[in-house]
Amino acid sequence: MRIGIDFGTTFSLPAGMINGKPETLLPNGEYGIPSVFYYHSETGVQIGQPAVDSAEIDPANAKREIKMDINQHDNGFNADGRNFSRKEIVGYIFKEIARVAQDETSRRALSSQNIDGVVISIPAAFTFREQEFIRNAAENGAGLKVLGFIREPVAAAISYFNAPSGEDQKTILVYDLGGGTCDV
């Protein structure tokens, strides 16, 4: 099974082709997986909504908007006396996205296959260096095979033109107003 991943600043989403149509692979109509990391020595690493919930009580051990910190040259993030690199944190987030996608396909009885490849959407302004950072985090941190990248506004334009009412002869302007980036 191959999936697409929108690695977002505030929320991330997995998607796949279901009966010939693209659909998000989230349980119970959830909006997305919060791109939030939390660590405490008693609970371990938490990602997503559990991390958000823990961060409300203990914000010092939570990291939000890690996507905005990819180019930072610091020593990472210290939570409860343990240091995590940015790449480790992004890897944990990708691992959770893959787990949710796999669980959702199993729940829907769509497939018992493992995820054998992902395409990741990235902001239009991401450089080759940032793409390689994301690739390494996904492959080394989450064990995913990255098949490629697609710029977020390009993915939106493709979705528009592949919709049943999409028209090939129109000129459109695509805005991707994300939680941390805005692409046109």
Side-chain angles (χ1 to χ4, degrees):
M1 171 177 65
R2 295 178 177 174
I3 65 169
I5 295 176
D6 176 14
F7 173 52
T9 303
T10 53
F11 287 93
S12 294
L13 296 128
M17 293 299 287
I18 310 297
N19 299 322
K21 295 187 326 188
E23 290 188 32
T24 58
L25 297 172
L26 296 168
N28 305 319
E30 289 181 19
Y31 176 76
I33 302 163
S35 300
V36 178
F37 171 91
Y38 176 86
Y39 174 80
H40 192 278
S41 59
E42 293 178 15
T43 59
V45 171
Q46 296 176 335
I47 303 296
Q49 193 58 50
V52 170
D53 296 342
S54 293
E56 289 180 14
I57 299 164
D58 184 17
N61 290 321
K63 182 66 178 157
R64 298 174 184 269
E65 300 178 351
I66 188 68
K67 183 171 147 183
M68 303 305 290
D69 295 339
I70 286 174
N71 281 326
Q72 299 298 314
H73 297 288
D74 60 17
N75 293 326
F77 176 67
N78 193 322
D80 196 30
R82 182 169 167 202
N83 195 56
F84 294 89
S85 72
R86 292 179 308 285
K87 202 171 286 186
E88 270 183 289
I89 293 170
V90 173
Y92 277 115
I93 293 170
F94 274 113
K95 190 180 290 186
E96 178 65 6
I97 296 166
R99 184 198 64 75
V100 168
Q102 189 71 54
D103 287 355
E104 185 60 11
T105 57
S106 295
R107 187 189 71 76
R108 294 185 194 183
L110 297 171
S111 171
S112 60
Q113 305 172 50
N114 289 325
I115 296 169
D116 63 358
V118 298
V119 173
I120 301 171
S121 67
I122 57 170
F126 260 30
T127 65
F128 179 75
R129 181 176 173 267
E130 291 161 318
Q131 288 178 37
E132 286 307 298
F133 178 97
I134 296 294
R135 179 186 305 279
N136 290 333
E139 290 181 347
N140 299 327
L144 298 171
K145 179 180 179 186
V146 177
L147 302 172
F149 296 96
I150 187 166
R151 307 260 180 219
E152 291 163 350
V154 173
I158 290 170
S159 177
Y160 172 82
F161 284 110
N162 283 324
S165 63
E167 298 180 35
D168 290 336
Q169 300 303 315
K170 282 192 173 181
T171 301
I172 64 165
L173 180 63
V174 176
Y175 285 93
D176 175 16
L177 182 57
T181 59
C182 177
D183 294 322
V184 180

